[in-house]
Each structure stands twice: as structure tokens, then as C-alpha cells.
Amino acid sequence: MTLSEELRWRGFVNQTTFDDISRLDKQTFTFYLGVDPSAPSMTIGNLATAIMAKHFAKAGHKAYLLVGGATGMIGDPDGKKRERDLKTLQEIETNKKAIAAQYETLFDGMRFELVDNYDWFKDVNYLDFLRDVGKHVPVRQMLARDFVQTRLAEDGAGISYAEFSYVLIQGYDFVHLNREYGVDLQLCGSDQWGNSIAGVDLIRRMNGNEAHVWSTPLVINQATGKKFGKSEGGAVWLDENATSVYQFYQFWLNVDDEGVEDYIKIYTELNKEEVDDIMRTFRENPAQRHAQKTLAYEVTKIVHGQENADAVIKVTDLLFGAQNANEINERELELLKQELPVVEKSEGAMLTEVLVDAEMMASKGEARRMLAQGAVKINGDKTLEDRELTADDAKLSGHVLLQRGKNDFALIKI
């Protein structure tokens, strides 16, 4: 399968300046993909574009991955109804390092250059920039942008000169990369089309060169028709400190049946034959959720590594009864501790007392009633009466797994 065929099959074809997308199969391009450090992590929205970029790189196109230290000082106003709060320089520096590390993980084993637009903007003279760059940018073109019209409308929040100029700053990124490194293609999400086209126009005016843009569509939740990538807690982040490995895995495990094939094509690197086989198995028995399980494992492996992907499967099976409690390794225990309350108790503590201290029951009386009803499990095994917890119960590296009902858990350290 050629690159253009693969991009079409995976659903990565949206707006582009190419008249014929098969040029990607016949000509080698040097592309860049940029992310602003507006947060200390990328989201799964960024992940879709990054995985698309990996397909370009695997096909032989040269990759430049940009962290927007300069553009991050302003913030992209597109899609925002009001002025952004500026990040401090320390926040930007911290966020840059975090995003650069995520690039390194996602593109591990592949050739790419990491660049920061602050490196070429930090010494730019304001007057020189107006003369050399601003002179080539028609204000009418900037005013025509949808977000500018919205913000300048009678009921709009207005727009500062800084945010109005954002497109000029990003456009110059493309100019600089084109001049210095021969970058002639920008990859982006559909929301960045306007900024990217401004760069193409600026390259033509300033460098006299041909340049192109390739954008990927917005990923849509097929069940709701809304933008894909939100959980109950908000955005799904690639940083495990913002979205834990377990929560990340669970998000993919619970995606809708209608869209799971699209998500596998977009978010994994499994080939067509593998995806067809997965979907065939899924359609034979949708209740087994084979497609979602494969998707969750593959995406977790890409973002958090195979060790974490294997660990989170074991933790999930442990919590939901697919595996009996036994010894687990340190990483698996760490994942459990991130998700469950941990209570320390001495050996010999009564179960009813522990259930109350773990806030799983309001009183010892309630605990006794729940035990009698068979609603309590110790390490996955139902128990019907109050008893002491012993060191023999601490099968999980010195911990006991208590469960009330289907979804209420606690770890008890003996």
C-alpha cells in the first residue's frame, strides 16, 4: 500500500494543497509538525496528528518536529471565544521539555529533528520583522479569518494585537524552516488549516518557493457526533500524571462500537490485514469487545510503552474478576495505588473495621449486612462473615484487595 493509499484508508485525508495526493508516493518531502506548549502534555487530539506524521516518516519523508516556544508565549486564538491568559516563561519552559519528551517517545527509533521556534524568534528585531515579514502579509487576509470576525463582532470579546498577530508568527515558522532546512510541507489538524495556508502564502511571497499543507480531519465520536477525545474528567492527556495509565487504557476500552474501527485505523499502526481480522472477530461477538481491547492495548503501548500496557491489562483483569489475586510486580502495584485508596492496618484487624476505615461502609453494622448479602470480596473471593485479616491475605505484594459491589475497591496494606 502506498502512502497516499494508506492515508486514505486510515481516514487522514482532509484539506490539502496537493492537486494529486499521489505526489506523496513519487516525491520526497521534508515536513514539519508543530505543537504549542500551552500545557505540560499533548492530548489524544495531538496524538492522531503525530501518528499520521509517523506514516509520512516511515514512507521516507524527512521529519521536523516543532515545539512552539515562541508561539506558546502568545497562544493560538483560533477557536477561542476570548483572550487567552498568558503562560509564564517558567510554565512555557516546563511544558516545552515535557512535550519534547513525548515526541521522543512517540517517534522512538525513527529519524527526526526536534526544533523550537523560540530559537529563531528570540533575537528577531521588531522593526526588521515588520519590514521583512509584515510587509508581505495583507491585513485583509488576516481580517477574513473566521475567529477574527467572531471576536470583532458586536457581541464578541475583541482581540488583542498579540493574538491577531499569531498567524503571522506561525506563518514565519514555515518560512524559516523552508529557508534553513528545505521544509516544504506542513502537517496539521483541520483546525490549523488557516494558519498553515498563511505560511504557504508567505513562503511564496518571501522565498518564491512552492510549499504545501496536509491536514487531517477532526476525529468524531460516531456515537455522539461530537469531537472525539474527551472523558468525564475532561481532556485525555498523554502524560500519566494528568491521565493515569489505567484511566488512559480504560478510555480506549470504553469507546463506542460505531467508531472503534475508525479509531483503530487512526490511533494504531496495525496494518489493513490485521485490522480486518480484528474487526471480523469483533463483529462475530461484539459483547467480547475484542476491537476495543486491541485498540486500548495498542494505543497504551505506543504512548506508555509495552511494560505499562501489559501491566494495565493485568490490573484491569484483577479488578474486574478475569484474574485471581496473586503476586504482582512493582509496576502493577504502583498502577493500582494510583487508582485505589490505600489504608494501612495491622495484622489481625477485623474486616468490618477495615471496611469502615477504608470508607467503603458507613458503619460496622452496614459492613455486617453487606457481608451477609455477599457484597464483599477479599482478593476477588466472596466472603460472608466478619473475620481477621492476616498476612496470608496480603497476596498483592503485602496488600489485600477489598471490593464492595462491582466498582468500589480499596487496597489494605498489612
Side-chain angles (χ1 to χ4, degrees):
M1 188 183 294
T2 65
L3 176 60
S4 63
E5 291 170 338
E6 179 150 30
L7 293 172
R8 191 180 295 282
W9 171 71
R10 291 188 182 274
F12 284 131
V13 179
N14 191 51
Q15 289 176 288
T16 180
T17 52
F18 290 116
D19 292 331
D20 179 2
I21 66 172
S22 68
R23 282 186 64 181
L24 294 172
D25 310 322
K26 305 167 187 175
Q27 181 179 347
T28 300
F29 289 89
T30 300
F31 71 85
Y32 95 94
L33 170 67
V35 175
D36 276 352
S38 54
S41 173
M42 290 190 275
T43 68
I44 61 171
N46 303 121
L47 178 62
T49 314
I51 291 180
M52 179 183 72
K54 291 183 72 173
H55 292 296
F56 276 81
K58 285 194 294 184
H61 301 287
K62 187 173 181 181
Y64 281 82
L65 305 177
L66 182 146
V67 180
T71 38
M73 294 176 71
I74 305 300
D76 187 358
D78 203 349
K80 306 299 180 203
K81 294 181 178 180
R82 55 186 56 84
E83 197 83 9
R84 285 174 175 265
D85 293 329
L86 294 177
K87 298 291 180 183
T88 67
L89 298 183
Q90 183 57 53
E91 283 179 303
I92 293 169
E93 189 62 30
T94 299
N95 295 352
K96 283 197 305 184
K97 290 178 181 177
I99 289 172
Q102 289 177 347
Y103 270 145
E104 296 281 356
T105 297
L106 294 176
F107 288 81
D108 183 40
M110 306 185 75
R111 294 182 61 185
F112 67 91
E113 298 289 337
L114 186 65
V115 293
D116 178 358
N117 59 13
Y118 182 73
D119 290 338
W120 56 83
F121 270 108
K122 63 183 178 182
D123 297 322
V124 169
N125 179 282
Y126 180 66
L127 291 177
D128 289 341
F129 187 75
L130 289 180
R131 284 178 59 86
D132 298 338
V133 181
K135 192 70 174 175
H136 297 283
V137 182
V139 171
R140 178 178 294 179
Q141 185 182 78
M142 296 174 72
L143 286 171
R145 297 289 300 278
D146 289 342
F147 78 90
V148 175
Q149 292 294 314
T150 300
R151 296 271 285 271
L152 292 179
E154 186 174 341
D155 57 348
I159 186 168
S160 69
Y161 176 73
E163 288 199 352
F164 179 70
S165 301
Y166 180 91
V167 64
L168 180 59
I169 300 171
Q170 184 174 317
Y172 183 71
D173 285 343
F174 206 169
V175 172
H176 177 86
L177 292 170
N178 180 259
R179 281 178 177 170
E180 298 299 322
Y181 306 111
V183 172
D184 49 6
L185 173 63
Q186 181 176 358
L187 305 185
C188 64
S190 59
D191 59 332
Q192 288 294 309
W193 174 256
N195 289 340
S196 303
I197 283 295
V200 169
D201 185 60
L202 202 53
I203 286 172
R204 178 181 58 79
R205 293 169 182 268
M206 294 183 65
N207 298 353
N209 296 333
E210 177 184 311
H212 292 278
V213 177
W214 181 284
S215 70
T216 182
L218 187 69
V219 183
I220 299 297
N221 183 319
Q222 298 298 325
T224 65
K226 297 179 180 179
K227 181 179 178 180
F228 178 75
K230 299 287 187 181
S231 69
E232 290 183 3
V236 181
W237 302 94
L238 306 193
D239 185 342
E240 68 173 291
N241 294 312
T243 300
S244 72
V245 177
Y246 177 81
Q247 292 164 352
F248 187 84
Y249 179 83
Q250 290 295 318
F251 170 81
W252 298 103
L253 196 60
N254 290 293
V255 299
D256 55 288
D257 288 354
E258 295 91 334
V260 67
E261 183 173 5
D262 290 343
Y263 309 145
I264 290 176
K265 291 177 182 178
I266 292 168
Y267 285 101
T268 81
E269 297 174 63
L270 298 172
N271 63 39
K272 187 177 187 304
E273 290 73 20
E274 290 170 321
V275 172
D276 288 346
D277 185 55
I278 290 163
M279 295 309 300
R280 191 178 304 112
T281 302
F282 169 71
R283 292 186 182 105
E284 288 171 358
N285 189 351
Q288 292 294 319
R289 300 184 72 75
H290 175 65
Q292 282 90 345
K293 290 175 182 178
T294 305
L295 170 67
Y297 178 74
E298 292 294 328
V299 183
T300 303
K301 186 168 63 173
I302 289 171
V303 174
H304 295 293
Q306 184 162 348
E307 181 184 359
N308 279 322
D310 291 339
V312 77
I313 286 179
K314 188 172 179 180
V315 166
T316 300
D317 288 346
L318 178 65
L319 292 178
F320 294 100
Q323 176 177 309
N324 291 328
N326 50 34
E327 283 300 314
I328 58 177
N329 64 36
E330 288 186 13
R331 183 53 183 150
E332 292 157 1
L333 180 61
E334 186 181 337
L335 290 179
L336 273 173
K337 286 181 174 181
Q338 287 176 355
E339 303 307 317
L340 306 181
V342 180
V343 177
E344 290 194 28
K345 298 297 292 185
S346 299
E347 185 175 9
M350 297 303 294
L351 179 56
T352 49
E353 173 193 336
V354 175
L355 288 166
V356 172
D357 288 349
E359 298 184 357
M360 301 178 79
M361 307 286 179
S363 66
K364 291 182 181 180
E366 181 189 6
R368 284 189 287 269
R369 287 194 298 275
M370 291 296 102
L371 282 166
Q373 293 172 17
V376 177
K377 292 180 180 180
I378 298 176
N379 296 328
D381 296 325
K382 190 178 295 185
T383 183
L384 298 174
E385 58 185 22
D386 193 13
R387 68 171 180 81
E388 294 181 352
L389 290 183
T390 69
D392 290 339
D393 293 315
K395 296 179 180 180
L396 303 177
S397 297
H399 296 73
V400 181
L401 178 66
L402 287 188
Q403 180 180 355
R404 174 190 175 174
K406 289 185 177 180
N407 300 310
D408 191 6
F409 299 90
L411 278 175
I412 310 303
K413 183 178 182 181
I414 301 297

